[in-house]
Amino acid sequence: MPARRRITPEDHSAISELIAMHGHLTDDGALDRYDELFTTDVIYDVADFGFGSLQGIPAIQDAALTLGDANPVGHHVTNIVLTAVDDDVVHGRSKGIGINADGTSGSVVYEDTFRREDRGWRISHRKMLARRKPLGGEGLDHQ
């Protein structure tokens, strides 16, 4: 069995900060800084929310602007787990909590692929999965 690749503490810190910056930039409305987060060819899969897959930074920016006041006022991320694929690709899974203007909240799982580029680590693929049911979702038999 091949040895499991390890993520350096520096890379772990840089990727974790990248995940956190998404919430700060989005909540601040600094969509023009999304190139600090995403690769130019990013795929942002929001099919679980009925929006399909967005390709490229401009598509993500347009979707955020289209949502307008329906966007959460606070994006919070926790439970970050990172797994190295190779020296320049890392998979991540984290939990997101969105706080809406009316005080309601929602929970998501972010499944990310990070790619090292000349500019540093960037998100090349993000899939958002809504958490709508406890204990993993539908089909649970609790009898």
Side-chain angles (χ1 to χ4, degrees):
M1 174 182 254
R4 187 172 180 183
R5 294 190 180 270
R6 299 186 65 76
I7 300 170
T8 67
E10 295 81 11
D11 287 339
H12 194 284
S13 178
I15 293 168
S16 295
E17 186 169 316
L18 182 69
I19 294 168
M21 280 303 296
H22 172 263
H24 287 287
L25 294 180
T26 301
D27 295 345
D28 291 345
L31 308 181
D32 60 325
R33 293 181 55 194
Y34 271 5
D35 64 329
E36 296 174 30
L37 303 176
F38 300 109
T39 60
T40 56
D41 62 346
V42 62
I43 302 293
Y44 202 98
D45 182 345
V46 285
D48 205 28
F49 294 86
F51 299 111
S53 286
L54 308 172
Q55 186 164 11
I57 294 170
I60 300 169
Q61 293 165 324
D62 289 346
L65 292 172
T66 298
L67 274 177
D69 288 344
N71 280 291
V73 297
H75 292 77
H76 306 281
V77 181
T78 186
N79 299 39
I80 299 169
V81 178
L82 302 176
T83 305
V85 175
D86 63 37
D87 291 341
D88 297 320
V89 177
V90 170
H91 285 162
R93 185 172 164 93
S94 58
K95 305 287 263 174
I97 303 166
I99 308 299
N100 299 309
D102 65 1
T104 60
S105 62
S107 181
V108 300
V109 172
Y110 291 116
E111 293 182 350
D112 294 323
T113 301
F114 304 93
R115 189 169 68 214
R116 186 192 318 263
E117 297 191 332
D118 291 339
R119 320 176 278 153
W121 288 99
R122 296 293 187 272
I123 300 168
S124 63
H125 188 272
R126 170 165 275 186
K127 183 173 187 175
M128 286 180 57
L129 299 168
R131 300 300 301 167
R132 295 185 179 100
K133 295 194 179 235
L135 303 176
E138 299 181 38
L140 296 176
D141 185 3
H142 296 288
Q143 298 179 11

